[in-house]
């Protein structure tokens, strides 16, 4: 026993010493990172993104590294934007752990511009003003702070279309021609009717669409005013357009048209190759994601048609440089290059993210994608981008949208009464904003 | 967490090493050092505790009286007890309190019962005993994240192994994520899997401190193995069982990683069906960025645990007094 006790004492002492050492190290250790990796003209630029920006897949980082010897780009990526935003906010509040380049979703850009302008670099410092004419005016304006700061450069926009599986359509006896389909589902009611036809003859374990949440999201993307009006007042509860999108989603749930999957969940990912759904509302940036999940085996089985009910926009992003970044100048040079019309063009041709730079939009008008049965994606998305309404953005757009799609999932998966789900959504929104 | 085996009152008294005889006349510096040194030795612990235990506790109480948002932490707005009243008026707080309790029961009870049985088996003489004893601890050594992610795959609705197995025996697929009871069982399963072996080892240690003579006497009186377990093992294990109950209760009250990672949903499912208090706090603080409200929840949880541990201690004290009076 005395031996054990002596050993214990030694361990405790050792523990105390280690702890003290760790504390000292923690106090002095935070400053030497930057000096070590910029030594000898070598710079590592870190890029932190969400979802599918597609830069790496399109080979843009490799190209930039070749153009700028000594520069290495390291990318980290979170699939679900909600998770990404959470951790970004935590790191911004702590002022540490931030990458040199951070992606910002358009649903969050109002929060950045109105609440957090002091946490991101004003890119005017580096001459961003000269880039203004490259971008669609609305895209540029949304990332401008109250004092005129330029807080981010626009990457893509999210013109909407409908992606579908031609092989599954064929099996269910539906037409597969994209023009014919566009006529049949000119309205959302037409889309749901076609869904019911599909369901009657569908292959086993295959639903019409992935989730009613995505149906809601694509429909609300067709509206100019969604959650806030132009004066910044919350109007979502009274907004008839929102209610109409909600009602259609409820109808789809009632008719059993959905595969009941959570977007961005592992099960949803698996479903792309398993053929669990025949259609998925797709903003342009979804094309790259579909390709990634469906893989080579999916090539030629997918197609893109015009969206029911007119043009809309869902998502699109910005690249920003936080104040706490280590290599701000280099980061700016990188995002300037990545968002330039030439690179946006490449990105669309390879990945499908639709350009926000006006110069690039013209260049991609003829683009076709072999993966999607040679669909004229340049034309489909280009027209959608031209006709889509310029949306009113608000600080809590993304949070409110999340609560609503969550409530719709209750209707879809648990059979919750729509009115009860609506009141749950209201409670959720109050909780979020409150 | 420290693992102190309960001391047996009948254990042999240890001979303490005698301190060396003090020098006749210690110098004044030495005398002061002798007075001060104990404090110096305990100081590191208390410094660390003050910095990482006490200060956060008090600061959290302070923050809980304000409206503080993560995006604008500079603007603190006095709310008094507003965060607390809002909390008690929030339906989801009560839901998560209830979930914490039901998941706690669903995970703690099977876990401890299974651990007891497992310990009993491991106590037998058999081949590879040491290996088996080490092996039961393996789940405990796995990280929560890794274990939960694997279980989330197993519990998948469309492509999960468990639903596949159920399908083989003709059971319809269960929605392990969205069903209230089903999802709570799924979360509890991860907890049970991780902690059963750990508790079994503690029980095993307790069992080995029960004197063999008691078993021999019982055997002589004609008691079966089963009766020996009930009348010798269980009473002898009482202090150990109490310890594991307290530790599991605290663990269950703080349950967080498993429900968070089952679907990656900070709301604990679309209807908050498996949101625990810990997850509810996380949702308010790091999902919605309401730091003041999250601080209020943290304090409510803290008080809840203090009350639970107090009740446990009361029971323990009453029991030991009863035993002393025997």
């Amino acid at each position: 026993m005395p031996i054990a006790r002596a050993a214990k004492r030694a361990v405790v002492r050792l523990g105390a010493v280690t702890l003290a050492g760790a504390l000292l190290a923690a106090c002095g250790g935070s400053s030497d990172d930057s000096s070590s990796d910029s030594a000898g003209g070598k710079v590592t630029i870190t890029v932190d993104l969400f979802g599918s920006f597609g830069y790496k897949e399109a080979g843009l980082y490799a190209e930039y590294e070749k153009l700028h010897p000594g520069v290495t780009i390291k990318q980290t990526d979170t699939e679900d934007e909600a998770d990404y935003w959470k951790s970004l906010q935590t790191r911004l509040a702590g002022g540490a752990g931030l990458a040199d380049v951070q992606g910002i979703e358009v649903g969050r850009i109002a929060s950045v511009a109105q609440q957090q302008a002091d946490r991101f670099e004003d890119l005017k410092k580096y001459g961003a003003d000269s880039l203004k004419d490259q971008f669609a005016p609305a895209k540029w304006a949304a990332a401008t702070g109250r004092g005129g700061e330029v807080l981010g450069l626009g990457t893509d926009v999210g013109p909407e279309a409908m992606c579908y599986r031609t092989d599954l359509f064929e099996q269910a006896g539906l037409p597969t021609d994209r023009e014919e389909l566009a006529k049949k589902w000119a309205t959302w009611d037409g889309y749901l009717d076609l869904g019911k036809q599909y369901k009657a003859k569908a292959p086993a374990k295959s639903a019409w669409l992935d989730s009613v949440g995505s149906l809601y999201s694509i429909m609300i993307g067709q509206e100019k005013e969604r959650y806030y009006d132009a004066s910044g007042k919350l109007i979502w509860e009274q907004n008839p357009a929102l209610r109409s999108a909600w009602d259609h989603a409820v109808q789809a749930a009632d008719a059993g048209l959905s595969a009941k999957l959570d977007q961005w969940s592992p099960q949803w990912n698996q479903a792309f190759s398993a053929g669990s759904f025949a259609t998925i509302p797709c903003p342009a940036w979804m094309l790259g994601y579909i390709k990634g999940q469906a893989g080579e085996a999916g090539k030629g089985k997918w197609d893109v048609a015009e969206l029911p009910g007119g043009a809309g926009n869902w998502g699109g992003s910005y690249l920003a440089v936080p104040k706490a970044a280590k290599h701000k100048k280099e980061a700016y040079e990188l995002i300037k290059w990545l968002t330039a019309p030439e690179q946006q063009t490449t990105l669309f041709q390879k990945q499908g993210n639709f350009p926000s730079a006006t110069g690039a939009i013209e260049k991609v008008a003829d683009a076709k994608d072999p993966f999607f049965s040679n669909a004229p994606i340049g034309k489909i998305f280009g027209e959608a981008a031209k006709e889509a309404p310029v949306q009113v953005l608000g600080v809590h757009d993304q949070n409110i949208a999340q609560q609503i799609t969550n409530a719709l999932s209750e209707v879809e998966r648990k059979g919750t009464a729509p009115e009860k789900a609506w009141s749950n959504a209201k409670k959720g929104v109050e909780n979020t904003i409150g | 967490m420290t693992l102190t085996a309960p001391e047996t009152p009948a254990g042999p008294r240890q001979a303490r090493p005698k301190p060396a005889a003090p020098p006749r006349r210690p110098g004044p510096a030495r005398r002061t050092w002798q007075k001060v040194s104990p404090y110096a030795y305990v100081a590191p612990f208390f410094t660390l505790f003050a910095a990482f235990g006490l200060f956060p506790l008090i600061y959290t109480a302070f923050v809980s009286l304000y409206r503080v948002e993560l995006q604008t932490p500079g603007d603190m707005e006095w709310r008094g007890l507003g965060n607390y009243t809002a909390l008690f008026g929030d339906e989801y707080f009560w839901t998560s309190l209830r979930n914490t309790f039901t998941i706690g029961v669903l995970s703690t009870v099977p876990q401890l019962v299974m651990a007891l049985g497992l310990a009993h088996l491991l106590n037998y003489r058999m081949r590879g005993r040491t290996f088996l004893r080490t092996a039961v601890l393996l789940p405990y050594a796995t990280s929560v994240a890794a274990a939960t992610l694997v279980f989330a795959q197993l519990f998948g609705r469309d492509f999960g192994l468990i639903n596949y197995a159920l399908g083989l025996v003709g059971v319809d697929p269960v929605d392990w994520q969205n069903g209230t009871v089903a999802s709570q069982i799924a979360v509890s399963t991860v907890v049970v899997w991780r902690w059963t072996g750990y508790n079994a080892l503690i029980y095993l240690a307790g069992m080995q401190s029960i004197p063999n003579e008691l078993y021999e006497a019982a055997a002589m009186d004609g008691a079966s193995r089963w009766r020996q377990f009930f009348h010798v093992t269980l009473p002898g294990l009482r202090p150990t069982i109490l310890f594991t109950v307290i530790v599991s209760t605290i663990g269950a009250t703080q349950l967080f990683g498993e429900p968070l990672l089952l679907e990656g949903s900070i709301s604990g499912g679309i209807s908050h069906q498996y949101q625990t208090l810990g997850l509810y706090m996380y949702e308010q603080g790091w999902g919605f960025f309401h730091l003041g409200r999250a601080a209020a929840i943290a304090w409510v949880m803290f008080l809840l645990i203090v009350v639970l541990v107090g009740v446990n201690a009361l029971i323990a004290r009453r029991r030991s007094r009863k035993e002393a009076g025997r």
Side-chain angles (χ1 to χ4, degrees), chain A residues 130-159:
Chain A
S130 64
L131 305 173
K132 190 174 176 182
D133 297 336
Q134 280 182 17
F135 294 92
K139 188 82 183 171
W140 184 266
T144 307
R146 288 196 173 126
E149 307 94 334
V150 177
L151 298 165
L153 296 182
T155 57
D156 59 331
V157 288

Side-chain angles (χ1 to χ4, degrees), chain A residues 86 410 414 427 431-432, chain B residues 91 157 178 271 286 290:
Chain A
K86 259 187 328 215
E410 286 192 87
K414 305 186 89 170
K427 243 181 291 168
N431 240 330
T432 310
Chain B
E91 188 190 314
R157 184 194 60 196
N178 296 313
S271 314
W286 307 108
H290 305 322

